[in-house]
Amino acid sequence: MESTRRDVTKNNKVIICENVSKTFEGKKGSVNRVLDNISFSVRENEFLVLFGPGQCGKTTLLNIIAGLEKPTSGRVIVNNKEVTAPGADKGMVYQTIALFPWLTVMGNVEFGPKVRGVPKKERQEKAKYFIDLVGLNGFEKHYPSQLSGGMRQRVGIARAYCNDPYVMLLDEPFGHLDAQTRYMMEDELQRIWQKEKRTIVFVTNNIEEALYLADRIILLTNCPSTIKKEYIIDLPRPRNYVDKRFLQLRKEITMNMDKSQY
Amino acid sequence: MTKANRSERKKVIRSAIIVFAAFIAVWQIISTLTPLRDFVPSASSVISAFIRSFYIPIGKHTMPHHVAVSLFRVLVAFGIACFTGVILGVLMGYFRIAEAIIKPIFEFIRPIPPLAWIPMSILWFGIGNTSKFFIIFLGCFTFITVNTYVGTKSVDPVLIGAARMLGANERQVFLRVVLPSTVPYIFAGLHIAITAGWSAVVGAELIRSDDGVGWIVNMGMVTGNTVQVMVGMMAIGIVGFVLATAMAALERRLCKWNQQEGM
Amino acid sequence: MENNREVLVEVKNLTKKFGDLLVLDDISFNIKKGEFLCIVGPTGCGKTTFLNSMTKLYDITSGEILIKGEPVDLKRHNVAYIFQEYSTMPWLKVEENVRFGLDIKKVPKKIADERVNEYIKLVGLEAFRDYYPDQLSASMLQRVVIARAFATQPDILLMDEPYGQLDMELRYKLEDELINLWQRTGTTVLFITHNIEEAVYLSERIIVLTNKPTKIKKEIKNDILRPRDIASKEFVELRNLVTDLIKWW
Ligand SMILES: Nc1ncnc2c1ncn2[C@@H]1O[C@H](COP(=O)(O)OP(=O)(O)O)[C@@H](O)[C@H]1O
Ligand SMILES: Nc1ncnc2c1ncn2[C@@H]1O[C@H](COP(=O)(O)OP(=O)(O)O)[C@@H](O)[C@H]1O
Ligand SMILES: [Mg+2]
Ligand SMILES: [Mg+2]
């Protein structure tokens, strides 16, 4: 099962966060410092998990990497270019799934190539490939409202992949799914990732999920968020939730995690 | 599920027919057997006059002509209202400057009822069809504008972000995300507007004319012919119902994606 | 000690169809008084349907559900139901929310006052009595709902995936609180979940359901000593056992 997951010779850094800080200014001049001087980098084809308590700023950090938010100070470099705006080189998968409800499964998945001007035949073939890959063969003409939560998020993943992004950013993509569906989707994501290698930054506050998927976990503190600790997870894949080392790591990281403030 | 829906629908239609029949029966009883009979023309007389109006003219024309004339006026005005309302609503919702300029004027004009415009309208447009278009237009255009405006404002910002992340530019975000997600709101506006426009027809046809269902009512009032007034009311009610139903059907066709959650 | 407890709920040959769709297929089991029973099963197998049948929201196709030997009658049997969504009333303060169930059951004011105080204290929300729901966090809301349910001192408390949407950390905390309340009040709890770890952590007995048409796949006794340790050998064994029964992909 285990392939040459990480090519050691290709140790180039695909994403670099340099001293990223973010402060939101509220009404009446109140300030809310969310990210405090965060620096890390992600290697090519690495599966990095950003892990931290609720409201600690994980989404904000991911949005900054995506270019959807600007850092107050510091910068993010993706593929040797400083991130200044959202763009097709970064594929995003949302907790709220965020499919276009007026488009079919096919319409959603081909959206990216379509707005970038890829010819119809080519983009539909590609979309079909990814729809099949996420196991939705036969659902091309369904609208999101006709699908279950797990199926919708499969569309979300296919949509991001179909645009051939350089890196994938996933923000608690399985947070709204029930426990069994979540386990299944974690397996699915891992399968897809092993087939279509990509650099992944995955945000979660679920320690089981983090340990199951990650090459490396970055543990964030409460707001203002800094990096508390990094864990290299070298458990063999596919992993076992009740494996002794797994449970041990789970306990250790849970103990090191800040208590959620809310 | 569709099977269940269909039988459900049949049930609704059946009960609607029963309620309607009961209504006519009560009307007939009130208008013949109670002291109110002096004020209410009987159901039977109104219904027979209504049927008669299809081959014996009221004024110069028969009922189909009156309905067709009124429908023409409403549909023209409604068409113009759709066009201007959607554009104005999108402008207000999407561009800050447009909002700042148009919204106050709009809010000022909005509470003035269409009827109050009749004198000015005659002054500006004369007593021909243009005046009537204008009054009906005023009756429906506000609903379309407001709904479009609210719809444009309430586009999910995450969806806009998602489109940008997939490489969409400003124009594509507008055409492919903002507009489609506004469509259900626009339709809700059209739905209210077609009914409102149709009911403004009575007011519009106060302006001198010799045809239209509104004219039937107005003329009945002037001549004290209560049966004719009610025949006109009946025609307005029936056509209004048909218009609303047709609008709902159109909406179901065009917004297939906006159905209930779940399979 | 469980063996000599009296039977509170009897489910006999329960079958439920929606049109042609057979959801619950001839299911029978008992719940004993004071028991903590967990039901696990795949999505869409009919867990919510079962609770809805029990609380008379749905008609039963055939079979019966008895409480204390009689058909369920919500006027006489005190059944509390906690949904997955936080069903607090946004226009009521915390205290009024907890009192809500008591008012509906027409509990005299004096007793109601005492109960409200007692259960608000039990869930640790004394400082928040006068807050409105939208001023509270998710875990506090869930506590309000739990206090409201326990305050009516129900014969049986039904919980339908109540912690499904919470962070793990909050879930652990609320699970411990729930166990604590259950041990102190002796309430019978029927807890539905997708989460096998949660079921193994909470229950005295687990009923595992199959996919539709749904039958009971297995009943498992769970007498691991409390407080339970999720990394202990017996915990892991039981969790694996249930996982193997339920994994469908
Ligand atoms: N656009 C914004 N304006 C003001 N405050 C924000 C904004 N986005 C996030 N925040 C604040 O930043 C903090 C972290 O939020 P978020 O990144 O969503 O956390 P997480 O994803 O870890 O739960 C929160 O306290 C939130 O209130
Ligand atoms: N009111 C209903 N009408 C028709 N089918 C229903 C209804 N409620 C539930 N179902 C069907 O019954 C099955 C079980 O649903 P449910 O009890 O909600 O499952 P669970 O709670 O175990 O996830 C599903 O296939 C669902 O589609
Ligand atoms: Mg977040
Ligand atoms: Mg359910």
Side-chain angles (χ1 to χ4, degrees):
Chain A
M1 181 102 224
E2 170 77 324
S3 61
T4 50
R5 188 178 70 257
R6 209 185 301 144
D7 194 347
V8 194
T9 54
K10 257 200 207 160
N11 222 359
N12 47 342
K13 292 169 177 173
V14 170
I15 303 175
I16 305 170
C17 282
E18 285 178 359
N19 307 315
V20 170
S21 296
K22 178 76 184 177
T23 305
F24 286 109
E25 277 168 42
K27 288 171 232 147
K28 297 173 194 156
S30 70
V31 288
N32 177 10
R33 195 164 177 77
V34 176
L35 301 176
D36 188 21
N37 213 16
I38 291 189
S39 300
F40 65 91
S41 57
V42 192
R43 280 186 308 275
E44 182 160 17
N45 293 346
E46 186 180 22
F47 200 123
L48 178 82
V49 169
L50 293 174
F51 179 68
Q55 297 299 303
C56 78
K58 302 181 294 296
T59 298
T60 307
L61 181 54
L62 205 67
N63 281 343
I64 289 174
I65 299 173
L68 289 164
E69 300 246 23
K70 297 229 175 328
T72 311
S73 66
R75 59 177 190 160
V76 177
I77 293 164
V78 173
N79 194 16
N80 300 320
K81 286 190 296 282
E82 183 169 346
V83 174
T84 52
D89 53 337
K90 294 152 290 195
M92 188 103 169
V93 180
Y94 298 83
Q95 177 171 14
T96 52
I97 304 181
L99 298 180
F100 304 115
W102 53 88
L103 297 179
T104 58
V105 168
M106 173 57 86
N108 269 283
V109 176
E110 67 164 355
F111 187 95
K114 190 169 178 180
V115 295
R116 288 184 304 113
V118 177
K120 183 163 178 176
K121 187 149 175 292
E122 189 182 326
R123 68 172 189 250
Q124 294 208 332
E125 265 166 24
K126 194 153 169 207
K128 184 81 183 67
Y129 170 78
F130 283 105
I131 290 171
D132 289 353
L133 183 67
V134 298
L136 285 181
N137 188 2
F139 288 92
E140 291 83 358
K141 295 211 171 82
H142 283 61
Y143 286 95
S145 63
Q146 299 169 305
L147 304 177
S148 69
M151 288 157 91
R152 282 181 215 176
Q153 196 54 293
R154 286 164 192 261
V155 180
I157 292 169
R159 181 177 69 177
Y161 260 110
C162 190
N163 214 16
D164 250 333
Y166 195 64
V167 298
M168 289 278 283
L169 310 172
L170 295 92
D171 187 10
E172 298 189 39
F174 310 139
H176 282 332
L177 305 180
D178 63 67
Q180 293 308 307
T181 311
R182 214 191 61 224
Y183 287 136
M184 182 176 63
M185 290 300 289
E186 286 163 15
D187 279 350
E188 284 286 293
L189 178 66
Q190 183 153 275
R191 178 180 65 79
I192 295 164
W193 175 65
Q194 275 166 347
K195 187 132 199 280
E196 291 284 332
K197 271 293 156 74
R198 231 28 77 89
T199 307
I200 292 190
V201 181
F202 187 104
V203 163
T204 181
N205 59 18
N206 184 316
I207 181 59
E208 262 195 327
E209 184 166 276
L211 277 170
Y212 192 68
L213 294 171
D215 285 331
R216 184 159 57 107
I217 296 178
I218 291 184
L219 175 61
L220 298 171
T221 65
N222 267 329
C223 267
S225 208
T226 57
I227 294 179
K228 187 160 191 178
K229 209 165 164 155
E230 267 190 52
Y231 299 87
I232 309 270
I233 312 299
D234 50 9
L235 300 169
R237 295 172 193 261
R239 293 172 183 164
N240 181 351
Y241 293 104
V242 288
D243 168 70
K244 210 161 173 187
R245 287 269 325 280
F246 192 98
L247 288 169
Q248 215 173 355
L249 273 166
R250 176 174 158 185
K251 234 178 201 168
E252 185 188 333
I253 300 176
T254 309
M255 256 164 52
N256 272 330
M257 178 161 113
D258 287 1
K259 285 271 156 291
S260 181
Q261 290 165 316
Y262 77 108
Chain B
M1 187 180 128
T2 48
K3 211 189 275 174
N5 264 2
R6 216 167 294 147
S7 75
E8 191 76 0
R9 201 132 146 224
K10 254 189 210 154
K11 234 185 258 171
V12 170
I13 291 173
R14 202 179 313 138
S15 54
I17 291 172
I18 291 170
V19 168
F20 195 69
F23 168 75
I24 304 255
V26 170
W27 175 13
Q28 181 67 12
I29 290 167
I30 288 177
S31 59
T32 51
L33 302 178
T34 70
L36 284 172
R37 70 178 152 237
D38 296 338
F39 305 98
V40 186
S42 74
S44 53
S45 65
V46 171
I47 292 170
S48 61
F50 181 72
I51 294 169
R52 224 178 311 123
S53 69
F54 278 78
Y55 48 91
I56 299 173
I58 302 179
K60 291 188 191 134
H61 309 282
T62 56
M63 186 55 87
H65 176 91
H66 287 299
V67 169
V69 164
S70 293
L71 262 181
F72 168 72
R73 287 170 182 153
V74 169
L75 291 182
V76 168
F78 180 73
I80 300 170
C82 284
F83 191 72
T84 46
V86 169
I87 289 181
L88 217 55
V90 168
L91 284 178
M92 271 162 62
Y94 202 63
F95 298 103
R96 284 273 161 72
I97 311 164
E99 184 178 10
I101 299 169
I102 304 171
K103 205 171 171 219
I105 305 173
F106 184 76
E107 291 296 346
F108 175 76
I109 292 175
R110 187 144 81 113
I112 304 170
L115 277 182
W117 286 94
I118 289 180
M120 299 319 288
S121 166
I122 293 175
L123 191 64
W124 296 333
F125 304 112
I127 54 172
N129 259 347
T130 318
S131 254
K132 298 175 183 84
F133 294 151
F134 182 61
I135 299 301
I136 298 168
F137 167 84
L138 287 169
C140 50
F141 127 97
T142 48
F143 296 104
I144 301 174
T145 313
V146 170
N147 268 282
T148 309
Y149 168 67
V150 171
T152 317
K153 279 270 167 197
S154 45
V155 180
D156 184 355
V158 176
L159 287 187
I160 294 181
R164 292 227 165 92
M165 289 301 298
L166 291 167
N169 58 28
E170 275 314 303
R171 192 178 56 87
Q172 287 169 323
V173 165
F174 180 73
L175 290 178
R176 296 184 187 277
V177 180
V178 176
L179 276 191
S181 54
T182 311
V183 165
Y185 289 85
I186 296 178
F187 261 105
L190 296 186
H191 212 124
I192 309 170
I194 188 78
T195 312
W198 179 246
S199 51
V201 86
V202 179
E205 286 167 359
L206 274 175
I207 302 169
R208 180 191 298 229
S209 61
D210 58 6
D211 49 13
V213 287
W215 172 85
I216 296 179
V217 174
N218 293 325
M219 199 35 106
M221 186 168 71
V222 172
T223 57
N225 184 347
T226 47
V227 172
Q228 184 180 327
V229 169
M230 293 202 64
V231 165
M233 286 165 68
M234 205 155 170
I236 292 172
I238 291 171
V239 176
F241 179 80
V242 170
L243 283 177
T245 313
M247 203 67 199
L250 187 66
E251 179 174 1
R252 262 199 307 279
R253 274 194 77 104
L254 291 183
C255 295
K256 250 187 274 164
W257 53 274
N258 199 23
Q259 308 291 319
Q260 288 296 306
E261 294 280 297
M263 305 192 95
Chain C
M1 75 175 194
E2 284 87 19
N3 291 334
N4 48 27
R5 293 195 298 209
E6 60 186 289
V7 170
L8 180 70
V9 179
E10 292 166 82
V11 179
K12 290 185 179 168
N13 307 101
L14 177 64
T15 299
K16 171 72 193 167
K17 290 184 186 169
F18 290 106
D20 296 334
L21 178 71
L22 177 58
V23 177
L24 300 175
D25 183 12
D26 196 22
I27 289 183
S28 304
F29 63 93
N30 290 340
I31 308 174
K32 293 193 170 146
K33 194 167 184 324
E35 188 178 23
F36 199 122
L37 174 67
C38 279
I39 296 185
V40 297
T43 310
C45 79
K47 302 182 295 296
T48 303
T49 301
F50 171 71
L51 292 190
N52 288 343
S53 308
M54 178 143 182
T55 51
K56 300 260 169 160
L57 290 173
Y58 291 161
D59 291 328
I60 296 171
T61 307
S62 70
E64 53 184 356
I65 304 178
L66 306 177
I67 297 186
K68 294 176 186 160
E70 301 159 357
V72 181
D73 176 357
L74 295 180
K75 291 210 184 62
R76 265 182 312 131
H77 303 128
N78 190 351
V79 179
Y81 193 167
I82 294 182
F83 302 92
Q84 183 160 0
E85 307 81 36
Y86 317 115
S87 47
T88 50
M89 317 284 163
W91 59 89
L92 296 179
K93 293 175 181 167
V94 166
E95 181 188 332
E96 293 161 341
N97 260 297
V98 175
R99 191 184 294 274
F100 188 80
L102 297 167
D103 283 350
I104 285 180
K105 297 237 149 57
K106 301 214 168 59
V107 175
K109 183 166 181 327
K110 195 154 160 291
I111 300 176
D113 285 342
E114 278 170 22
R115 294 244 198 107
V116 169
N117 287 335
E118 182 186 347
Y119 285 92
I120 285 184
K121 203 188 267 169
L122 271 177
V123 294
L125 287 177
E126 290 129 301
F128 299 94
R129 294 181 75 106
D130 292 329
Y131 283 56
Y132 285 96
D134 68 355
Q135 298 169 297
L136 303 180
S137 68
S139 67
M140 287 159 124
L141 288 179
Q142 195 59 311
R143 286 194 192 120
V144 174
V145 175
I146 286 172
R148 183 175 70 194
F150 270 98
T152 62
Q153 301 190 337
D155 294 323
I156 182 162
L157 175 60
L158 311 177
M159 303 178 80
D160 190 5
E161 300 179 33
Y163 305 145
Q165 307 282 339
L166 298 178
D167 288 3
M168 282 192 134
E169 188 199 343
L170 292 175
R171 227 186 58 216
Y172 294 157
K173 209 154 133 191
L174 287 167
E175 283 168 9
D176 282 338
E177 273 175 19
L178 176 64
I179 288 296
N180 197 319
L181 270 172
W182 166 70
Q183 284 173 333
R184 282 207 249 168
T185 56
T187 306
T188 311
V189 181
L190 173 55
F191 191 101
I192 288 191
T193 179
H194 270 105
N195 191 316
I196 294 160
E197 186 178 279
E198 187 172 44
V200 175
Y201 190 75
L202 293 173
S203 69
E204 291 182 291
R205 187 160 58 108
I206 301 173
I207 291 183
V208 182
L209 300 177
T210 63
N211 261 319
K212 268 179 310 208
T214 306
K215 290 178 171 297
I216 294 181
K217 192 162 200 176
K218 202 166 167 99
E219 275 192 54
I220 300 165
K221 221 160 122 56
N222 176 4
D223 40 22
I224 301 173
L225 284 179
R226 293 179 206 269
R228 293 174 179 169
D229 173 8
I230 57 162
S232 72
K233 188 162 154 288
E234 49 199 335
F235 194 99
V236 168
E237 268 168 15
L238 191 55
R239 186 176 160 182
N240 277 336
L241 177 68
V242 180
T243 306
D244 289 343
L245 286 171
I246 209 174
K247 195 160 174 166
W248 80 90
W249 69 92

